[in-house]
Amino acid sequence: MSDEIVKYSNKFNNQALRKFTALDLDLLMAVIAVCLAPAVHPIAADIILTALAVWAMRNSR
């Protein structure tokens, strides 16, 4: 590898998510993963997020 310097900064670790349940955190991470994935087409992302929302509503009881 060349002489590149990579600066890593994860500001998300500073966010307080105290009231989130395990399901809430799983959904949040899934949404972030879909949004940040470079190969996901916007329409496919909508379908994935809709399916996640339906799954969450069914499993939240």
Side-chain angles (χ1 to χ4, degrees):
M1 194 156 177
S2 63
D3 295 329
E4 297 177 14
I5 297 175
V6 177
K7 182 178 178 183
Y8 177 76
S9 176
N10 189 358
K11 295 179 183 178
F12 187 68
N13 287 338
N14 298 330
Q15 301 302 314
L17 303 173
R18 292 182 197 101
K19 295 184 179 182
F20 277 41
T21 64
L23 179 62
D24 294 337
L25 289 172
D26 288 345
L27 288 172
L28 177 63
M29 292 302 138
V31 169
I32 291 171
V34 168
C35 292
L36 294 178
V40 177
H41 191 275
I43 295 174
D46 287 343
I47 294 169
I48 293 168
L49 295 176
T50 302
L52 279 171
V54 170
W55 177 83
M57 287 189 288
R58 288 183 183 160
N59 292 326
S60 65
R61 298 176 191 163

